[in-house]
Amino acid sequence: MRHANPVSILSPAFFTACASAFLLTLADEARSADGASTDYWVRVMPALWAAQLDGDFSYQRGGSSGSRFTTDQLGIDGAKNIFAIEAGAQIPFLFGFHAGYFDFSTEGTRPLTQTQTFGNQTYAATTQVKTTVGLRDLYGEICIRPLNLDLVGFSVGVAGHSIDGRMELADLTTGNSDSIEKTVFIPAVAVRGHVSPLKCLTLEARVHWIEIATGGNHVRFADADVQLAYRPIEWVGVLAGYRYNLYDLHLKDPTGTNSSADLNLSLSGPYVGLIAKF
């Protein structure tokens, strides 16, 4: 009696069978995912962000000549773990809404290596200066989705960021200090995209960006975010990503006539969090 030879793992038939099984699996995942593409959903994504401040800034007022300070020089360039959150909702077929928030603060103490001026305050060389920085961002976004499949999709829209910033430099020897605090509203173009090769796994990216000059002010702003979310069950999962915010601003008269501020700062770092989607 003759026996049929087993299929070798190196044979073309074996590879064809494996490829067919893989493609059928992906097709089944695609059908399952895209079947929910017109659903209404709400999601919440709280995260812990290891945000690091980097760059330089200057501030002058009352005819004084402001000096340029760097975050490294002032000891405020270390990463800080802060809370950030984004919530969103999808309306079937077309619209999406998103909102987010974070509140960053840091401080550092360093001796200056040369005489420098911030606002109306001059700090002599070797002076121990304490620097305090606060940056709070509350944003909203509305978008439309030309391509809206759970497997792959993208959206375009508009966003608005209400940014509350504060900086203070204090001379620890004399107690003299100066500070600037300003709330700025920044509109931006918003773009989002996602790829979900598996129903439980989604790679998503988001960019808010604008460059505009008006009334003696110049703003170049970006908020970019890329994340990978894993939901082993339908409603809850975990996520990890990286976020980069750029604040390149020239502000005319932020604290009255004959004042100005220049900032070229970034806030960036990795984050981890949770995702709940209903």
PDB file of all heavy atoms in Angstrom, residues 155-170:
ATOM      1  N   SER A 155      -8.980  62.162   9.975  1.00  0.00           N
ATOM      2  CA  SER A 155      -9.906  63.277  10.122  1.00  0.00           C
ATOM      3  C   SER A 155      -9.147  64.588  10.008  1.00  0.00           C
ATOM      4  O   SER A 155      -7.933  64.648  10.247  1.00  0.00           O
ATOM      5  CB  SER A 155     -10.632  63.206  11.469  1.00  0.00           C
ATOM      6  OG  SER A 155      -9.721  63.390  12.538  1.00  0.00           O
ATOM      7  N   VAL A 156      -9.858  65.642   9.637  1.00  0.00           N
ATOM      8  CA  VAL A 156      -9.309  66.996   9.581  1.00  0.00           C
ATOM      9  C   VAL A 156     -10.299  67.927  10.262  1.00  0.00           C
ATOM     10  O   VAL A 156     -11.512  67.690  10.237  1.00  0.00           O
ATOM     11  CB  VAL A 156      -9.050  67.453   8.130  1.00  0.00           C
ATOM     12  CG1 VAL A 156      -7.944  66.630   7.491  1.00  0.00           C
ATOM     13  CG2 VAL A 156     -10.325  67.376   7.298  1.00  0.00           C
ATOM     14  N   GLY A 157      -9.770  68.983  10.874  1.00  0.00           N
ATOM     15  CA  GLY A 157     -10.654  69.902  11.567  1.00  0.00           C
ATOM     16  C   GLY A 157      -9.917  71.091  12.135  1.00  0.00           C
ATOM     17  O   GLY A 157      -8.832  71.457  11.663  1.00  0.00           O
ATOM     18  N   VAL A 158     -10.514  71.700  13.139  1.00  0.00           N
ATOM     19  CA  VAL A 158      -9.930  72.859  13.802  1.00  0.00           C
ATOM     20  C   VAL A 158      -9.889  72.604  15.303  1.00  0.00           C
ATOM     21  O   VAL A 158     -10.711  71.867  15.849  1.00  0.00           O
ATOM     22  CB  VAL A 158     -10.722  74.155  13.504  1.00  0.00           C
ATOM     23  CG1 VAL A 158     -10.619  74.522  12.035  1.00  0.00           C
ATOM     24  CG2 VAL A 158     -12.181  74.001  13.916  1.00  0.00           C
ATOM     25  N   ALA A 159      -8.908  73.231  15.952  1.00  0.00           N
ATOM     26  CA  ALA A 159      -8.759  73.104  17.397  1.00  0.00           C
ATOM     27  C   ALA A 159      -8.480  74.473  17.994  1.00  0.00           C
ATOM     28  O   ALA A 159      -8.047  75.397  17.294  1.00  0.00           O
ATOM     29  CB  ALA A 159      -7.619  72.135  17.733  1.00  0.00           C
ATOM     30  N   GLY A 160      -8.722  74.592  19.272  1.00  0.00           N
ATOM     31  CA  GLY A 160      -8.407  75.815  20.003  1.00  0.00           C
ATOM     32  C   GLY A 160      -7.764  75.463  21.327  1.00  0.00           C
ATOM     33  O   GLY A 160      -8.286  74.618  22.069  1.00  0.00           O
ATOM     34  N   HIS A 161      -6.612  76.084  21.621  1.00  0.00           N
ATOM     35  CA  HIS A 161      -5.882  75.859  22.865  1.00  0.00           C
ATOM     36  C   HIS A 161      -5.914  77.129  23.708  1.00  0.00           C
ATOM     37  O   HIS A 161      -5.520  78.202  23.242  1.00  0.00           O
ATOM     38  CB  HIS A 161      -4.423  75.490  22.591  1.00  0.00           C
ATOM     39  CG  HIS A 161      -4.227  74.124  22.034  1.00  0.00           C
ATOM     40  ND1 HIS A 161      -3.682  73.094  22.773  1.00  0.00           N
ATOM     41  CD2 HIS A 161      -4.508  73.613  20.807  1.00  0.00           C
ATOM     42  CE1 HIS A 161      -3.630  72.011  22.012  1.00  0.00           C
ATOM     43  NE2 HIS A 161      -4.120  72.298  20.821  1.00  0.00           N
ATOM     44  N   SER A 162      -6.383  77.018  24.936  1.00  0.00           N
ATOM     45  CA  SER A 162      -6.287  78.100  25.911  1.00  0.00           C
ATOM     46  C   SER A 162      -5.101  77.790  26.818  1.00  0.00           C
ATOM     47  O   SER A 162      -5.163  76.879  27.650  1.00  0.00           O
ATOM     48  CB  SER A 162      -7.580  78.206  26.731  1.00  0.00           C
ATOM     49  OG  SER A 162      -7.469  79.239  27.693  1.00  0.00           O
ATOM     50  N   ILE A 163      -4.009  78.538  26.630  1.00  0.00           N
ATOM     51  CA  ILE A 163      -2.747  78.251  27.304  1.00  0.00           C
ATOM     52  C   ILE A 163      -2.483  79.335  28.345  1.00  0.00           C
ATOM     53  O   ILE A 163      -2.406  80.519  28.021  1.00  0.00           O
ATOM     54  CB  ILE A 163      -1.586  78.177  26.298  1.00  0.00           C
ATOM     55  CG1 ILE A 163      -1.863  77.060  25.284  1.00  0.00           C
ATOM     56  CG2 ILE A 163      -0.264  77.947  27.004  1.00  0.00           C
ATOM     57  CD1 ILE A 163      -0.888  77.016  24.140  1.00  0.00           C
ATOM     58  N   ASP A 164      -2.350  78.898  29.577  1.00  0.00           N
ATOM     59  CA  ASP A 164      -2.067  79.805  30.694  1.00  0.00           C
ATOM     60  C   ASP A 164      -0.622  79.556  31.128  1.00  0.00           C
ATOM     61  O   ASP A 164      -0.293  78.476  31.620  1.00  0.00           O
ATOM     62  CB  ASP A 164      -3.035  79.533  31.847  1.00  0.00           C
ATOM     63  CG  ASP A 164      -2.843  80.506  33.005  1.00  0.00           C
ATOM     64  OD1 ASP A 164      -2.144  81.513  32.821  1.00  0.00           O
ATOM     65  OD2 ASP A 164      -3.385  80.250  34.088  1.00  0.00           O
ATOM     66  N   GLY A 165       0.248  80.554  30.910  1.00  0.00           N
ATOM     67  CA  GLY A 165       1.663  80.407  31.249  1.00  0.00           C
ATOM     68  C   GLY A 165       2.103  81.410  32.304  1.00  0.00           C
ATOM     69  O   GLY A 165       1.616  82.541  32.340  1.00  0.00           O
ATOM     70  N   ARG A 166       3.037  80.972  33.178  1.00  0.00           N
ATOM     71  CA  ARG A 166       3.562  81.851  34.212  1.00  0.00           C
ATOM     72  C   ARG A 166       5.038  81.551  34.434  1.00  0.00           C
ATOM     73  O   ARG A 166       5.441  80.395  34.510  1.00  0.00           O
ATOM     74  CB  ARG A 166       2.805  81.680  35.537  1.00  0.00           C
ATOM     75  CG  ARG A 166       3.251  82.651  36.625  1.00  0.00           C
ATOM     76  CD  ARG A 166       2.424  82.498  37.896  1.00  0.00           C
ATOM     77  NE  ARG A 166       2.724  83.546  38.855  1.00  0.00           N
ATOM     78  CZ  ARG A 166       3.714  83.505  39.725  1.00  0.00           C
ATOM     79  NH1 ARG A 166       4.505  82.435  39.768  1.00  0.00           N
ATOM     80  NH2 ARG A 166       3.932  84.499  40.566  1.00  0.00           N
ATOM     81  N   MET A 167       5.858  82.627  34.530  1.00  0.00           N
ATOM     82  CA  MET A 167       7.278  82.494  34.843  1.00  0.00           C
ATOM     83  C   MET A 167       7.656  83.528  35.893  1.00  0.00           C
ATOM     84  O   MET A 167       7.245  84.687  35.813  1.00  0.00           O
ATOM     85  CB  MET A 167       8.143  82.717  33.594  1.00  0.00           C
ATOM     86  CG  MET A 167       7.965  81.692  32.510  1.00  0.00           C
ATOM     87  SD  MET A 167       9.107  81.988  31.142  1.00  0.00           S
ATOM     88  CE  MET A 167       8.652  80.640  30.052  1.00  0.00           C
ATOM     89  N   GLU A 168       8.437  83.083  36.855  1.00  0.00           N
ATOM     90  CA  GLU A 168       8.940  83.994  37.894  1.00  0.00           C
ATOM     91  C   GLU A 168      10.394  83.675  38.189  1.00  0.00           C
ATOM     92  O   GLU A 168      10.768  82.507  38.322  1.00  0.00           O
ATOM     93  CB  GLU A 168       8.120  83.871  39.180  1.00  0.00           C
ATOM     94  CG  GLU A 168       8.616  84.815  40.282  1.00  0.00           C
ATOM     95  CD  GLU A 168       7.813  84.692  41.569  1.00  0.00           C
ATOM     96  OE1 GLU A 168       7.263  83.591  41.816  1.00  0.00           O
ATOM     97  OE2 GLU A 168       7.747  85.679  42.320  1.00  0.00           O
ATOM     98  N   LEU A 169      11.226  84.730  38.293  1.00  0.00           N
ATOM     99  CA  LEU A 169      12.620  84.601  38.700  1.00  0.00           C
ATOM    100  C   LEU A 169      12.800  85.404  39.983  1.00  0.00           C
ATOM    101  O   LEU A 169      12.484  86.605  40.025  1.00  0.00           O
ATOM    102  CB  LEU A 169      13.578  85.109  37.626  1.00  0.00           C
ATOM    103  CG  LEU A 169      14.054  84.080  36.580  1.00  0.00           C
ATOM    104  CD1 LEU A 169      12.881  83.616  35.724  1.00  0.00           C
ATOM    105  CD2 LEU A 169      15.153  84.673  35.704  1.00  0.00           C
ATOM    106  N   ALA A 170      13.293  84.747  41.033  1.00  0.00           N
ATOM    107  CA  ALA A 170      13.449  85.393  42.340  1.00  0.00           C
ATOM    108  C   ALA A 170      14.901  85.316  42.792  1.00  0.00           C
ATOM    109  O   ALA A 170      15.528  84.248  42.723  1.00  0.00           O
ATOM    110  CB  ALA A 170      12.544  84.730  43.370  1.00  0.00           C
TER     111      ALA A 170
END
